[in-house]
Amino acid sequence: MENKDVVIIGGGPAGLAAALELYKKGIHDIIILERENHLGGILRQCIHDGFGLSRFGKSLSGPEYAQAFIDEIEKNHIPYLTNATVLELTNDKQIYAMTREGLKLYQAKAVVLAMGCRERSRGALGIPGERPSGVFTAGTAQAYMNLYNRMPAKEVVILGSGDIGMIMARRLTLEGAHVQAVFEIMPHPSGLPRNIIQCLEDYDIPLYLSHTVTDIHGDSRLTGVTISQVDEHLKPIPGTEKEYTCDTLILSVGLIPDNLLSTDAGVTLDPHTKGAYVDEHFQTNIPGVFAAGNVLHVHDLVDFVSLEAEALADSAASYIRDGALPPCSLPIKTGNGVGHAIPQRISGTKDFKLSLRVRSHYRDCRILLRQNGEVIATKKMKKAIPAEMIQFTVKSEAIQEHGELEVSVE
Amino acid sequence: MSENIIKKTYTCIICPNGCDIEAEIKDGEILSITGHTCPKGEAYVHQELTAPTRTIATSVLVLGGELPLASVRLTNPIPKDKIFPAMEEIKKLTLTAPVKEGTVVLEKVCGLDSDVIVTKNVQVK
């Protein structure tokens, strides 16, 4: 068994940023465990640009964004293991990992959960129909094309208007496939507005809202899908069925934080984010176990993942030095119009950054944070949409010693 | 209001804010513009109105590498109607490992003011 101050599970953007920040704070007895052959996580297959605008002030591709961090990791000789799959995390912070050198066991003082997220699949949607090949999640199609040089499609239908789905609509089109349409079950797009323009409109790919796939046809390979309109309860409307001939159905229907390891260790999850309940230190219900990035809540922008992981690392460094962190006893609840909020508990003695998503589209609205019925922080928004995470800093002076907080939109 | 004034809404694609920008346009000239939160938004609407440009990202084949592909991107946006001609030019490229991020693999693609650069290191297999 090896003892470590901090074991970081996952070498994607959250894990890399956490490792570097811990190192800067003087915590050097750390290791990153990465399941894949390379560091970088999902950024390795996100070859489009648009990353790093807020962090580096320029538009980078995913691999370049990751490499900027990896270069720093290498320069500082921060230890990492690739091809290292963590099999188990225990609630006393032991980590079992399968590596090239066999099974390894670490005892950590602190653990950083940085496993990212997974895509919702066909199984999670329960689409009826046959089970042919040719149904891929957007990320799988992206890996085929951008990592393995395999072209997975010729005639394409996309279900879900998530960002990766739209980015793959453009990618497939550039490589000669024909993308017939994107269908979204919700009455509003789930991806960023800029991607609707630069990935769909630019290539004359129509986006149909309030539509979904209601049947899948094909024997060995997909031959077509049935599309139906849905009502306000998202139920297919009989008589609106339309057949589309295609060999590929791409699913871009949401991302779910990958918390299998966390739950086995006894980490409590928030049913709204599907990530851990954390306090303002990004500490879960298990002292010394921290979570940030997409394993905590799904982000739109990697720049914010890096920032969050750095904030986590600052707290984890204090935890290593002091053996504990100040208690956080004030809960934050979600009120009208708010889907989820991070953190779910605060100390009330420190400024903190509140991250949240609204449930539907709002114009000229205000995000209100109340405590004991009194408004303690406000953010005015020209528009607030579910596709965009909202963040703002709440000052500690406004927070009272007792009483739960509630964030809502009006 | 004169008849040939067109009101048009643009979604700015320069950054993830995706500002909704309202522009009043007459004979291809912008009369008024509202909704942008930075100067880049105004420049974007001008560009969209006169000659819309985009960047693209794709991959090129690598021989003898640990990966079959190296990702590439353009250093500058190019006119929208040059996207597919540029893809054709980039498709003709083959690199030999090792390949280093930042290497220019094609200068002035299609004669435009934009180079193709590698965005991923690929080591020898």
Side-chain angles (χ1 to χ4, degrees):
Chain A
M1 187 166 75
E2 282 181 53
N3 290 304
K4 291 278 169 202
D5 276 352
V6 186
V7 171
I8 299 163
I9 306 176
L16 293 172
L20 278 171
E21 183 67 13
L22 279 164
Y23 193 85
K24 279 184 201 155
K25 294 274 162 174
I27 311 293
H28 294 178
D29 183 23
I30 62 180
I31 188 163
I32 307 170
L33 301 177
E34 167 56 45
R35 165 174 69 189
E36 296 286 325
N37 195 22
H38 294 84
L39 294 175
I42 201 67
L43 289 173
R44 292 177 47 72
Q45 67 184 61
C46 300
I47 65 168
H48 53 281
D49 69 354
F51 300 90
L53 279 162
S54 74
R55 187 175 191 95
F56 298 112
K58 55 185 173 185
S59 182
L60 300 173
S61 65
E64 290 169 292
Y65 186 95
Q67 195 61 43
F69 287 80
I70 296 167
D71 286 346
E72 289 291 306
I73 297 275
E74 300 282 6
K75 202 175 86 189
N76 292 303
H77 307 289
I78 296 174
Y80 65 87
L81 265 186
T82 53
N83 297 301
T85 304
V86 174
L87 302 175
E88 190 184 353
L89 165 68
T90 67
N91 66 357
D92 52 358
K93 285 166 278 185
Q94 291 191 345
I95 296 112
Y96 293 85
M98 267 311 291
T99 74
R100 284 270 163 96
E101 300 142 37
L103 188 68
K104 281 190 179 248
L105 172 59
Y106 297 95
Q107 173 68 60
K109 288 184 191 157
V111 174
V112 175
L113 304 175
M115 294 90 78
C117 59
R118 285 179 178 273
E119 295 176 282
R120 285 180 77 207
S121 63
R122 180 182 174 185
L125 298 179
I127 307 170
E130 305 298 322
R131 293 286 183 274
S133 70
V135 182
F136 304 103
T137 60
T140 302
Q142 190 180 43
Y144 272 124
M145 292 181 76
N146 297 348
L147 297 180
Y148 305 115
N149 195 27
R150 293 284 181 269
M151 184 65 182
K154 289 192 184 106
E155 276 295 330
V156 187
V157 165
I158 298 181
L159 175 63
S161 57
D163 287 312
I164 317 165
M166 294 199 277
I167 282 159
M168 285 315 293
R170 173 176 64 183
R171 185 83 194 100
L172 284 156
T173 307
L174 285 176
E175 293 292 355
H178 177 234
V179 179
Q180 298 183 35
V182 176
F183 298 97
E184 168 62 54
I185 192 168
M186 300 299 287
H188 50 76
S190 66
L192 296 172
R194 66 198 294 250
N195 284 332
I196 298 172
I197 304 293
Q198 64 186 357
C199 297
L200 302 186
E201 287 183 13
D202 274 3
Y203 298 93
D204 299 319
I205 300 167
L207 167 61
Y208 296 98
L209 301 173
S210 300
H211 281 74
T212 193
V213 174
T214 47
D215 207 353
I216 288 176
H217 317 288
D219 184 4
S220 60
R221 181 76 190 197
L222 183 71
T223 56
V225 294
T226 308
I227 301 288
S228 300
Q229 245 177 286
V230 300
D231 63 19
E232 65 269 33
H233 307 294
L234 311 182
K235 292 269 174 285
I237 303 170
T240 61
E241 298 86 358
K242 240 179 120 177
E243 300 299 326
Y244 284 79
T245 302
C246 58
D247 54 55
T248 303
L249 174 65
I250 303 275
L251 304 174
S252 181
V253 290
L255 301 168
I256 304 168
D258 186 354
N259 275 298
L260 277 175
L261 288 170
S262 331
T263 47
D264 283 350
V267 170
T268 311
L269 301 188
D270 179 336
H272 301 295
T273 56
K274 312 265 193 302
Y277 276 110
V278 290
D279 61 21
E280 69 194 23
H281 313 294
F282 297 97
Q283 186 173 232
T284 67
N285 59 305
I286 303 176
V289 175
F290 298 83
N294 281 352
V295 79
L296 179 61
H297 57 142
V298 175
H299 291 62
D300 324 315
L301 301 174
V302 70
D303 302 56
F304 295 152
V305 168
S306 304
L307 280 176
E308 190 171 278
E310 284 162 355
L312 172 157
D314 293 344
S315 321
S318 305
Y319 177 87
I320 295 293
R321 273 197 306 268
D322 307 335
L325 288 162
C328 292
S329 56
L330 302 178
I332 301 182
K333 302 281 180 212
T334 54
N336 177 53
V338 174
H340 69 252
I342 297 277
Q344 291 93 342
R345 282 176 292 124
I346 57 160
S347 64
T349 56
K350 210 178 97 177
D351 296 356
F352 73 96
K353 191 187 270 178
L354 184 66
S355 303
L356 63 109
R357 270 181 208 274
V358 294
R359 282 185 194 279
S360 54
H361 281 226
Y362 294 90
R363 290 215 164 260
D364 298 313
C365 64
R366 288 183 310 163
I367 311 293
L368 299 174
L369 183 64
R370 286 193 175 87
Q371 188 181 23
N372 302 320
E374 206 176 292
V375 176
I376 60 167
T378 312
K379 184 180 170 69
K380 274 191 187 167
M381 309 275 306
K382 257 165 105 174
K383 69 170 178 181
I385 61 176
E388 289 175 15
M389 185 195 294
I390 298 164
Q391 290 187 316
F392 62 101
T393 301
V394 180
K395 294 277 177 200
S396 63
E397 297 94 75
I399 307 168
Q400 297 162 28
E401 214 175 307
H402 300 286
E404 77 173 30
L405 293 85
E406 187 187 77
V407 58
S408 60
V409 53
E410 277 169 28
Chain B
M1 196 184 281
S2 147
E3 275 174 30
N4 50 2
I5 294 179
I6 309 161
K7 268 197 173 180
K8 211 174 160 195
T9 307
Y10 292 86
T11 301
C12 183
I13 63 165
I14 302 302
C15 90
N17 284 343
C19 291
D20 289 328
I21 306 176
E22 298 251 359
E24 283 187 332
I25 300 151
K26 190 185 172 190
D27 304 328
E29 294 284 324
I30 298 171
L31 298 179
S32 74
I33 167 167
T34 54
H36 56 299
T37 46
C38 83
K40 286 177 186 168
E42 189 168 351
Y44 171 73
V45 172
H46 262 281
Q47 190 79 58
E48 283 296 285
L49 200 58
T50 49
T53 62
R54 298 290 185 265
T55 57
I56 51 170
T58 181
S59 297
V60 295
L61 281 172
V62 178
L63 299 177
E66 50 170 345
L67 306 168
L69 298 168
S71 51
V72 299
R73 68 172 169 90
L74 301 182
T75 52
N76 277 318
I78 58 172
K80 257 163 105 169
D81 60 1
K82 296 289 186 220
I83 288 175
F84 284 96
M87 280 295 292
E88 285 306 312
E89 289 297 303
I90 295 167
K91 257 181 211 166
K92 291 177 193 158
L93 299 169
T94 304
L95 307 173
T96 305
V99 178
K100 207 165 159 30
E101 180 199 301
T103 309
V104 176
V105 288
L106 182 61
E107 283 184 7
K108 299 199 177 307
V109 61
C110 299
L112 301 160
D113 181 28
S114 182
D115 299 337
V116 179
I117 59 163
V118 172
T119 59
K120 189 188 278 176
N121 293 331
V122 181
Q123 313 296 336
V124 176
K125 199 178 198 169

